[in-house]
Amino acid sequence: MTSIDLNADLGEGFGRWRLTDDEQLLSVVTSANVACGFHAGDAATMRRVCELAAERGVTIGAQVSYRDLAGFGRRAMDVPPAELTAEVAYQIGALEVFARAAGARVAYVKPHGALYNRVVHDEEQARAVVDGVLLADDTLPVLGLPGSRLLELAAKAGLTDVPEAFADRAYTDEGTLVPRAWDDAVLTDPEAVVERSVTLARGGTVLSHSGVRIDVRARSLCLHGDTPGAVELARRVRGRLEAAGVRVGSFA
């Protein structure tokens, strides 16, 4: 049976401000990319999300980022490799405290925002992220874009590399994500997102921004939690996948 993991970015709040409906999304997804305080999230939020995830059997992942709370981790930054390695390990370690307190553990790592896009091609920054994962826990899988330098270096370092796809993001002909500044970078038609989810899970292909069909073989499908109607859309995606005979379950 074809299977796919559903992941979502959660815990993306700070203090009294909350961006994602963590409680509702945790009733749908199978893996939670939890913000670790650098682009969003704080100690109380991280603890709350870990407790909710553990209660519902959702796998906990550390979503590591550049230190950029003001820019939500989406601004380009040049961080020295040694510093980035330490900061990646720091974020994983912080989340691990709350995951273990909830009776679970951090089970994988996924970069966020500008860092995610940077490590697709930038070998130095990708190696720094991999080194940070190794420093924190050399058993952790790394989630990222298929064909990225990050996944290539993770595999060479003995880490499990897990390719993911995006149901609601536009792709370039090269298989990378279209920058958010472009028109139609984010798909807003719910039915189009649902249909693409099934196509990605069963066929591993997607139409690029220019209409070219490209291969996107993935073990996990990302559903963004910060878009309007995210919870209902996530439910529709999971329901359609299961109706199509796709098993939905965590990769970790």
Side-chain angles (χ1 to χ4, degrees), residues 21 30 34 72 79 104 109 139 147 150 158 161 173 189 194 217 226 234:
D21 189 342
T30 49
V34 184
F72 197 61
V79 180
V109 178
T139 68
L150 174 69
D161 58 308
D173 293 352
D189 179 3
V194 171
R217 304 286 175 177
D226 60 349

Side-chain angles (χ1 to χ4, degrees), residues 17-211:
W17 174 70
R18 292 188 184 181
L19 178 64
T20 50
D21 189 342
D22 300 326
E23 186 168 0
Q24 293 301 315
L25 283 167
L26 283 167
S27 68
V28 182
V29 300
T30 49
S31 295
N33 316 317
V34 184
C36 298
F38 272 37
H39 77 279
D42 55 31
T45 301
M46 292 161 67
R47 181 180 184 183
R48 175 178 57 82
V49 175
C50 284
E51 289 174 347
L52 288 171
E55 287 172 6
R56 294 167 193 205
V58 176
T59 300
I60 297 170
Q63 186 163 45
V64 298
S65 170
Y66 287 129
R67 188 189 293 270
D68 182 26
L69 274 177
F72 197 61
R74 288 180 175 165
R75 297 185 292 190
M77 303 183 76
D78 289 316
V79 180
E83 184 177 333
L84 182 58
T85 291
E87 291 188 341
V88 166
Y90 176 93
Q91 291 174 78
I92 297 168
L95 187 65
E96 178 69 5
V97 169
F98 299 116
R100 287 193 178 275
R105 62 180 292 269
V106 171
Y108 66 94
V109 178
K110 174 183 174 178
H112 165 83
L115 181 58
Y116 186 97
N117 292 320
R118 180 76 171 267
V119 296
V120 170
H121 298 298
D122 190 317
E123 180 163 354
E124 185 178 65
Q125 294 283 280
R127 190 178 301 280
V129 171
V130 169
D131 287 345
V133 177
L134 292 170
L135 182 60
D137 183 344
D138 63 7
T139 68
L140 292 177
V142 176
L143 188 62
L145 203 68
S148 64
R149 298 297 289 154
L150 174 69
L151 293 193
E152 179 184 343
L153 292 172
K156 286 182 178 179
L159 301 172
T160 300
D161 58 308
V162 183
E164 73 167 337
F166 293 80
D168 60 355
R169 289 294 308 276
Y171 282 83
T172 68
D173 293 352
E174 292 72 37
T176 58
L177 298 180
V178 166
R180 284 181 174 268
W182 290 22
D183 292 336
D184 302 322
V186 179
L187 278 66
T188 57
D189 179 3
E191 186 59 26
V193 173
V194 171
E195 287 298 324
R196 178 188 270 194
S197 299
V198 176
T199 301
L200 282 166
R202 298 188 66 181
T205 65
V206 67
L207 286 178
S208 73
H209 191 263
S210 65

